[in-house]
Amino acid sequence: MVAPASSRLFLYDHQILYPERSEGPIELPAPVFDDPRHHIRLYHGDSLELLALLPESSVDLIFADPPYFLSNGGITCHAGKMVSVNKGAWDKSQGPAANHEFNRNWLAACQRILKPNGSLSRNRRSDANTS
């Protein structure tokens, strides 16, 4: 089982300017945001597909906001109102084994592209209890 194919990834591209590899240049999709002045480029697409395009040990920092698999038809209270917890099909659990497999796959893909002293930061749920 494979967890959501539509898991999203935004790549912040500061130094990776279509590096060469033995198979030729990397063909990334067109960025959804491009700021040449500040060397910022954001890409949107399937996380595992985009990560596979990047060369090994080429990234200094990865900030990840993966699915939490909480879209289960439930509700929560936000700003005093009852709201749905459904974020979309990409956040719906396929069961513990598939969720674990998805997490292992994206973490392995990140580990492959991180430089030896690179860092990975994972976002936490915004409604998590912080007390």
Side-chain angles (χ1 to χ4, degrees), residues 2-130:
V2 177
S6 62
S7 299
R8 298 165 298 172
L9 172 73
F10 288 92
L11 294 172
Y12 166 75
D13 175 11
H14 177 65
Q15 296 274 323
I16 303 173
L17 301 175
Y18 301 94
E20 294 288 327
R21 3 178 241 185
S22 59
E23 306 89 45
I26 292 174
E27 295 292 332
L28 290 171
V32 294
F33 177 81
D34 192 1
D35 180 354
R37 181 173 169 226
H38 295 99
H39 308 286
I40 298 172
R41 224 179 252 158
L42 297 177
Y43 297 93
H44 180 228
D46 183 285
S47 59
L48 296 177
E49 289 176 10
L50 287 173
L51 289 169
L53 295 175
L54 300 176
E56 285 186 34
S57 302
S58 63
V59 175
D60 292 304
L61 173 68
I62 296 171
F63 178 83
D65 187 8
Y68 294 103
F69 304 113
L70 298 176
S71 293
N72 60 8
I75 56 173
T76 190
C77 182
H78 180 73
K81 296 182 181 178
M82 298 299 277
V83 296
S84 171
V85 298
N86 291 330
K87 306 292 184 204
W90 60 269
D91 188 51
K92 190 167 183 146
S93 176
Q94 302 297 313
N99 296 352
H100 185 65
E101 179 183 349
F102 172 78
N103 286 323
R104 289 180 55 91
N105 288 341
W106 76 260
L107 285 166
C110 289
Q111 184 177 21
R112 183 189 71 77
I113 65 169
L114 274 176
K115 291 180 179 177
N117 292 324
S119 297
L120 184 141
S121 178
R122 185 191 145 277
N123 191 33
R124 68 176 181 85
R125 283 182 31 204
S126 61
D127 64 339
N129 185 351
T130 57

